[in-house]
Amino acid sequence: MAIQKPSIPKGTRDFGQKEMARRNYIFDTIRSVFRTYGYQQIETPAMENLSTLLGKYGEEGDKLLFRILNSGDAFADVDFDKPLTSQVCEKGLRYDLTVPFARYVVQHQNDISFPFKRFQIQPVWRADRPQKGRYREFYQCDVDVIGSRSQVNELELVQMVDAVFGKLGVRVGIHINNRKVLTGFAEIAGAPDKVVDITVAIDKLDKIGLEKVEEEMADKGIEAAGIAVIRQILSLEGSFAEKLAAMKGLFQGGSASGIVSETGLKGLEELEELFGLIAAAGVSAPVEMDLSLARGLNYYTGAIFEVKALDWEIGSICGGGRYDNLTGIFGLPDLSGVGISFGADRIYDVLTGLDLFPASLEQSTTLLFAVMGADELRYVLPIAKSLRDAGVSVEVYPEATKLKKQFDYADRKAIPFISINGSSEMEAGTVNIKNLASGTQQAFPATDLAAILAFLSF
Amino acid sequence: MAIQKPSIPKGTRDFGQKEMARRNYIFDTIRSVFRTYGYQQIETPAMENLSTLLGKYGEEGDKLLFRILNSGDAFADVDFDKPLTSQVCEKGLRYDLTVPFARYVVQHQNDISFPFKRFQIQPVWRADRPQKGRYREFYQCDVDVIGSRSQVNELELVQMVDAVFGKLGVRVGIHINNRKVLTGFAEIAGAPDKVVDITVAIDKLDKIGLEKVEEEMADKGIEAAGIAVIRQILSLEGSFAEKLAAMKGLFQGGSASGIVSETGLKGLEELEELFGLIAAAGVSAPVEMDLSLARGLNYYTGAIFEVKALDWEIGSICGGGRYDNLTGIFGLPDLSGVGISFGADRIYDVLTGLDLFPASLEQSTTLLFAVMGADELRYVLPIAKSLRDAGVSVEVYPEATKLKKQFDYADRKAIPFISINGSSEMEAGTVNIKNLASGTQQAFPATDLAAILAFLSF
């Protein structure tokens, strides 16, 4: 058979030991925080029926689904006069974790204790054009609670974000808005049917500035008077309490349009309650009301979150919000939920950029037993076993080869301790261990595990 | 849009919180053992190029690959007079972890320190007909070392198997054979070209018995004299040393055929060395030479392993062997490796069957704060936070609803402690915690974290 030059599909990645150690560190940290809040992990299959996935991500999203050819002879009973794709593909790869979660909740509703607090850490696949920082396979890490309208849930998400980034050592700012407030904007701007257009436009405020946002709204048919009202809102400054009071005034009919927005007022009430809970519980990271925050996602109905690293420019590293009808499409209406998603790749980049990964991740093996011959090998095997049983990561070099080669191996794997034992150690029943960084070397009775562990700082 | 009844593709599974906790327990145990032996984790993409996968699993395997439709308009430039599948699919889902591992080693050979000790825990997909215990998506858990011919590697795999099942509390028997010994069988049976047929037949000895094995060999064209030699081998009894001595005699020309097998003798030498290393290192599980063990896999060239649970009938729960040319197909010849694969689903079934999962897995949350009103909520929030910061899994019921409902929630989630606090606790600055199993109830100063943690046995 001809020899193939191996490669992987574009937009996908291999994860070597270093990347895995770092990714596991991020996920383990996130998981440990989720657990202290009583969230439980689930997993769904990589493949879902296309009927579950299609129509959930818009027309563009449908095109980005990876479809799986039916097994057996997929083309056997095909009508070539009709579109082929839907005839030969019934399954697709998971595009996100949200739709499979909604499907899961509906399918297992009788086995679930609501409020249902779950998290899920799995890869998703999108046939996007690959580019720097955008992959066709990447992990998502979602945490949601469904079946409760209480804002204690929003609070918990904020607390978990705070705890996760606190543990990771990343200073973040947490931005919060409320979809009902955005609806209020559209209402008092006299364009209640244009809430999506307005939302999409003001979502870009950070990137393109107020002027361009106003142009975009004009393009979408918002009248000048309406745009003036939006400008009034986006220009509000001051403390949370001051902004809140000003917004309340506008929603009560105090804007240029004089229109009252009950929905907007409800949104403000929710924001006020949530900020009150945050103050009561105590959150270390700065939490800010951000009236321009929209996240473009149409299904949010209440709180909207976004998290940014304060010391590294990379955009949002975490975001989410409340939704009221995620499960409706699968036949279970009126189940309100709220969730956030941690951007694993971006968090990885922030930790790399700020050099925040613990140095210990680089080192996986603590001690290497160099091997000089068959007898020496047999001598160290039970000692290595005792140390492993005590939890130390130990390697025994598998060949009695040149010491130089064994030292090189220790060096490349960043192994900090090496043990070389010959006939004198075997006669004395000792183990000789060298700290490669300091050069310190010491001999221990082979049975004195405690002393060896202490020398290894284990 | 019409409401869809949600379902998942046949042969796939959702993993709920209980299954996830159990599966994580198995994988965490395996991982912790792998780490103490200096093995490092990698991950490869779910999708591989079909050129990487095709032809590696035989004709039957090629049919069982899940193929992914090319993105964009897959049928745009198709020649309908030629086979369609290969024109519209360039990628497929991973069928096992072995071929992607070989591809990984070749692709990254310049970045790898050999001997390369890696493990990989990821799902694989096969378009097999689903049936009880056979799924279309399932996890594999492989550990391999590549780039060393030393049998210290075989020893380490045996030690890791021993340690993993020791930690899981499963009594196992480890069976070992050597492919060169099987080649020796074929040679002294006068059918050196029939080693695969002979191997496949004797692999079934346990299931179908000696008589049927002999019939199968006759069907494959092995002559009666050859079958008589195989019978002589399979009927050997006695201790390891006795069997080894008898086999040595047969391979040295002492069988009915009088043929000498150098390869067979080399295999015996390897077995003897490995059992010597096992004795030197100390392994708790019984390790047995099993001359009928073949595992059907053609690419093994040295040691062959199989692990069976002693107290639960389920077949092999772990197996593997040495291979000499896994990476050759990708252009890197002469790299010898040895590895084993843990059967996650079967291990799960054994632990379930023998009731060996720790009871603590059932319980994810330690303490529930019941909530009776907005003030009580704000009172307990900082206390809950302190406990979470101390690592305790705490939930705050998100609604001030009927206590009955909150108790039911604690019951369904198997939460062992509940804390109910009203105006008297708030005035006294105390927290009232009840142990739901014993009925013991106690009030603590809200600031006395140590006393609360002790009551929670944390």
Side-chain angles (χ1 to χ4, degrees):
Chain A
M1 204 180 291
I3 282 170
Q4 305 161 348
K5 196 181 161 193
S7 66
I8 50 178
K10 63 180 176 179
T12 69
R13 291 167 287 176
D14 283 325
F15 289 88
Q17 48 222 37
K18 182 177 167 182
E19 291 82 19
M20 281 303 296
R22 291 179 161 201
R23 216 185 57 197
N24 283 340
Y25 168 70
I26 295 172
F27 288 152
D28 288 347
T29 303
I30 291 176
R31 233 188 309 251
S32 73
V33 169
F34 289 174
R35 291 225 169 99
T36 60
Y37 284 79
Y39 285 73
Q40 293 176 315
Q41 191 168 12
I42 69 161
E43 281 193 9
T44 61
M47 300 187 270
E48 293 275 353
N49 292 320
L50 279 172
S51 56
T52 299
L53 301 176
L54 285 170
K56 309 303 188 299
Y57 308 105
E59 211 173 306
E60 200 47 42
D62 283 355
K63 284 190 198 148
L64 298 183
L65 291 173
F66 278 111
R67 288 152 206 258
I68 294 162
L69 197 70
N70 294 342
S71 39
D73 185 356
F75 293 96
D77 299 313
V78 160
D79 180 345
F80 284 97
D81 294 330
K82 291 185 182 162
L84 290 171
T85 303
S86 58
Q87 295 184 72
V88 299
C89 295
E90 280 164 9
K91 295 179 289 291
L93 291 179
R94 184 166 60 219
Y95 179 89
D96 71 1
L97 302 179
T98 306
V99 168
F101 172 56
R103 193 266 309 145
Y104 180 96
V105 168
V106 177
Q107 194 174 327
H108 302 282
Q109 55 186 289
N110 296 327
D111 306 319
I112 290 174
S113 305
F114 291 100
F116 179 45
K117 302 163 88 170
R118 87 86 171 80
F119 69 94
Q120 196 168 349
I121 302 177
Q122 291 191 275
V124 302
W125 295 269
R126 296 181 185 180
D128 254 321
R129 188 182 303 275
Q131 59 183 54
K132 189 177 177 321
R134 193 202 280 164
Y135 302 99
R136 293 185 146 192
E137 172 182 71
F138 56 97
Y139 269 83
Q140 286 195 336
C141 170
D142 280 19
V143 56
D144 290 80
V145 50
I146 196 161
S148 162
R149 291 179 190 277
S150 160
Q151 293 214 90
V152 171
N153 303 299
E154 273 84 344
L155 166 68
E156 281 193 356
L157 295 179
V158 169
Q159 288 187 291
M160 290 196 288
V161 164
D162 187 43
V164 164
F165 291 108
K167 284 196 175 206
L168 293 176
V170 178
R171 296 195 322 124
V172 296
I174 302 173
H175 298 245
I176 301 183
N177 197 5
N178 190 295
R179 174 59 188 255
K180 294 186 182 77
V181 171
L182 293 170
T183 303
F185 290 177
E187 289 182 4
I188 65 172
D193 55 328
K194 293 268 182 354
V195 59
V196 172
D197 291 332
I198 293 174
T199 298
V200 168
I202 68 175
D203 200 21
K204 300 177 186 163
L205 185 64
D206 265 7
K207 279 188 201 153
I208 63 176
L210 185 58
E211 205 171 318
K212 297 259 179 208
V213 167
E214 294 187 2
E215 273 175 32
E216 182 168 326
M217 287 192 287
D219 287 349
K220 294 286 180 185
I222 319 282
E223 294 185 18
I227 293 177
V229 170
I230 303 285
R231 187 185 316 132
Q232 212 178 347
I233 298 162
L234 295 180
S235 311
L236 288 178
E237 287 186 357
S239 69
F240 173 73
E242 286 163 355
K243 276 188 186 171
L244 202 73
M247 285 295 307
K248 221 174 250 182
L250 296 175
F251 284 150
Q252 279 166 341
S255 78
S257 71
I259 299 170
V260 172
S261 169
E262 293 298 339
T263 307
L265 288 168
K266 176 81 175 94
L268 292 180
E269 200 182 287
E270 288 179 6
L271 277 174
E272 195 169 7
E273 188 197 356
L274 177 53
F275 276 81
L277 288 171
I278 289 169
V283 166
S284 309
V287 184
E288 197 184 300
M289 178 170 75
D290 180 350
L291 297 174
S292 73
L293 177 63
R295 290 189 61 77
L297 281 172
N298 234 324
Y299 58 76
Y300 291 139
T301 52
I304 303 174
F305 304 105
E306 194 158 86
V307 181
K308 286 185 175 169
L310 297 181
D311 305 314
W312 194 257
E313 195 74 49
I314 199 165
S316 159
I317 54 176
C318 186
R322 177 170 286 275
Y323 42 83
D324 275 342
N325 201 19
L326 196 64
T327 56
I329 185 68
F330 298 118
L332 189 64
D334 298 327
L335 204 54
S336 187
V338 57
I340 48 173
S341 185
F342 287 76
D345 285 315
R346 284 191 174 176
I347 296 170
Y348 188 104
D349 289 345
V350 170
L351 291 175
T352 304
L354 296 173
D355 199 14
L356 289 171
F357 283 111
S360 60
L361 295 181
E362 301 288 316
Q363 172 218 317
S364 66
T365 300
T366 300
L367 172 64
L368 174 71
F369 280 100
V371 168
M372 298 166 73
D375 290 341
E376 288 85 348
L377 169 65
R378 274 155 212 260
Y379 177 69
V380 301
L381 283 174
I383 307 168
K385 182 171 188 311
S386 311
L387 288 168
R388 286 160 171 160
D389 287 347
V392 186
S393 174
V394 173
E395 291 190 58
V396 176
Y397 199 83
E399 336 251 354
T401 182
K402 281 184 211 140
L403 272 183
K404 164 91 173 64
K405 199 171 169 188
Q406 304 189 42
F407 268 90
D408 281 352
Y409 180 81
D411 190 45
R412 284 198 312 275
K413 286 191 84 169
I415 302 176
F417 295 92
I418 195 164
S419 178
I420 307 170
N421 303 283
S423 50
S424 58
E425 282 80 10
M426 288 167 64
E427 272 161 36
T430 59
V431 191
N432 189 24
I433 302 179
K434 183 173 185 173
N435 180 326
L436 288 171
S438 67
T440 323
Q441 186 163 325
Q442 206 172 321
F444 302 91
T447 49
D448 192 351
L449 206 60
I452 299 174
L453 291 174
F455 187 69
L456 300 174
S457 330
F458 205 86
Chain B
M1 204 181 290
I3 281 172
Q4 305 160 347
K5 195 180 163 195
S7 66
I8 50 177
K10 62 180 175 179
T12 69
R13 292 168 286 177
D14 283 325
F15 289 87
Q17 48 222 36
K18 182 176 168 183
E19 291 81 20
M20 280 304 295
R22 291 178 161 202
R23 214 185 59 195
N24 283 341
Y25 168 71
I26 295 172
F27 287 151
D28 288 346
T29 303
I30 290 176
R31 231 187 311 250
S32 73
V33 169
F34 288 173
R35 291 226 170 98
T36 60
Y37 283 79
Y39 285 72
Q40 293 176 313
Q41 191 169 10
I42 68 162
E43 280 193 11
T44 61
M47 300 189 268
E48 293 275 352
N49 292 320
L50 279 173
S51 57
T52 299
L53 302 176
L54 285 170
K56 308 304 187 300
Y57 308 106
E59 212 173 306
E60 201 46 43
D62 284 354
K63 284 190 199 149
L64 299 182
L65 291 172
F66 278 112
R67 288 152 207 258
I68 294 162
L69 198 69
N70 294 342
S71 39
D73 186 355
F75 293 96
D77 299 313
V78 159
D79 178 346
F80 284 97
D81 294 331
K82 292 185 181 161
L84 289 171
T85 303
S86 58
Q87 295 185 71
V88 298
C89 295
E90 279 163 10
K91 295 179 288 291
L93 291 178
R94 186 167 56 219
Y95 180 91
D96 70 2
L97 302 180
T98 306
V99 168
F101 172 56
R103 194 266 310 145
Y104 179 95
V105 168
V106 177
Q107 194 174 328
H108 302 282
Q109 54 185 290
N110 296 326
D111 306 319
I112 291 174
S113 304
F114 293 99
F116 180 44
K117 302 162 87 169
R118 88 86 173 78
F119 70 92
Q120 196 168 350
I121 301 176
Q122 292 192 274
V124 302
W125 296 270
R126 298 182 184 178
D128 255 320
R129 188 182 302 275
Q131 59 183 54
K132 189 178 177 320
R134 192 203 280 166
Y135 302 99
R136 292 185 146 193
E137 172 182 70
F138 57 97
Y139 269 81
Q140 286 195 336
C141 171
D142 281 18
V143 57
D144 290 80
V145 50
I146 196 162
S148 164
R149 290 178 192 276
S150 160
Q151 292 214 89
V152 171
N153 302 301
E154 272 84 344
L155 165 68
E156 281 192 356
L157 295 179
V158 169
Q159 288 187 292
M160 290 196 288
V161 164
D162 187 43
V164 164
F165 291 107
K167 282 195 175 206
L168 294 175
V170 179
R171 296 197 320 126
V172 296
I174 303 173
H175 298 245
I176 301 183
N177 198 3
N178 190 298
R179 175 59 189 255
K180 295 187 182 77
V181 170
L182 293 169
T183 302
F185 290 177
E187 289 182 3
I188 65 172
D193 55 327
K194 293 267 181 3
V195 58
V196 172
D197 291 333
I198 293 174
T199 299
V200 168
I202 69 176
D203 200 22
K204 300 178 186 162
L205 184 65
D206 264 8
K207 280 189 200 152
I208 62 176
L210 185 59
E211 205 171 319
K212 297 259 177 208
V213 167
E214 294 187 1
E215 274 174 32
E216 184 169 324
M217 287 192 286
D219 288 348
K220 294 287 179 182
I222 319 280
E223 294 185 15
I227 294 177
V229 171
I230 304 284
R231 186 185 317 128
Q232 212 178 345
I233 298 162
L234 295 179
S235 311
L236 288 178
E237 287 187 356
S239 69
F240 172 71
E242 285 161 356
K243 274 188 187 170
L244 201 72
M247 285 296 306
K248 220 175 251 184
L250 295 175
F251 283 151
Q252 280 165 339
S255 78
S257 72
I259 298 171
V260 172
S261 169
E262 294 297 339
T263 307
L265 288 168
K266 177 81 175 93
L268 292 181
E269 201 181 285
E270 289 180 5
L271 277 174
E272 195 170 8
E273 187 196 356
L274 178 53
F275 275 82
L277 288 171
I278 290 169
V283 165
S284 308
V287 185
E288 198 184 300
M289 178 169 76
D290 181 350
L291 298 175
S292 74
L293 177 62
R295 288 189 63 77
L297 280 172
N298 234 324
Y299 58 77
Y300 291 138
T301 53
I304 303 173
F305 303 104
E306 195 159 86
V307 181
K308 286 185 175 169
L310 296 180
D311 305 314
W312 194 258
E313 196 75 49
I314 200 166
S316 159
I317 54 176
C318 187
R322 177 171 286 274
Y323 42 83
D324 274 343
N325 201 19
L326 196 64
T327 56
I329 185 70
F330 297 118
L332 190 63
D334 298 327
L335 206 53
S336 188
V338 57
I340 47 173
S341 185
F342 288 76
D345 285 314
R346 284 192 175 176
I347 296 172
Y348 188 104
D349 290 345
V350 170
L351 291 175
T352 306
L354 296 173
D355 200 14
L356 289 173
F357 283 111
S360 61
L361 296 182
E362 301 289 316
Q363 172 218 317
S364 66
T365 300
T366 302
L367 170 65
L368 174 70
F369 280 100
V371 168
M372 300 166 69
D375 291 340
E376 289 85 349
L377 169 65
R378 275 155 212 260
Y379 177 69
V380 301
L381 283 175
I383 308 169
K385 182 171 188 314
S386 311
L387 288 168
R388 286 160 171 162
D389 287 346
V392 186
S393 175
V394 173
E395 290 190 59
V396 176
Y397 199 84
E399 336 250 355
T401 182
K402 280 183 212 143
L403 272 183
K404 165 91 172 65
K405 200 171 169 190
Q406 304 189 44
F407 269 89
D408 282 351
Y409 180 81
D411 190 45
R412 283 197 312 274
K413 284 192 84 170
I415 301 175
F417 294 92
I418 196 163
S419 177
I420 307 170
N421 303 284
S423 51
S424 58
E425 282 81 10
M426 288 167 64
E427 272 159 37
T430 58
V431 191
N432 190 24
I433 302 178
K434 183 172 186 175
N435 180 327
L436 289 171
S438 68
T440 322
Q441 186 162 325
Q442 206 172 320
F444 303 91
T447 49
D448 192 353
L449 206 61
I452 299 174
L453 292 174
F455 188 70
L456 301 174
S457 330
F458 204 85

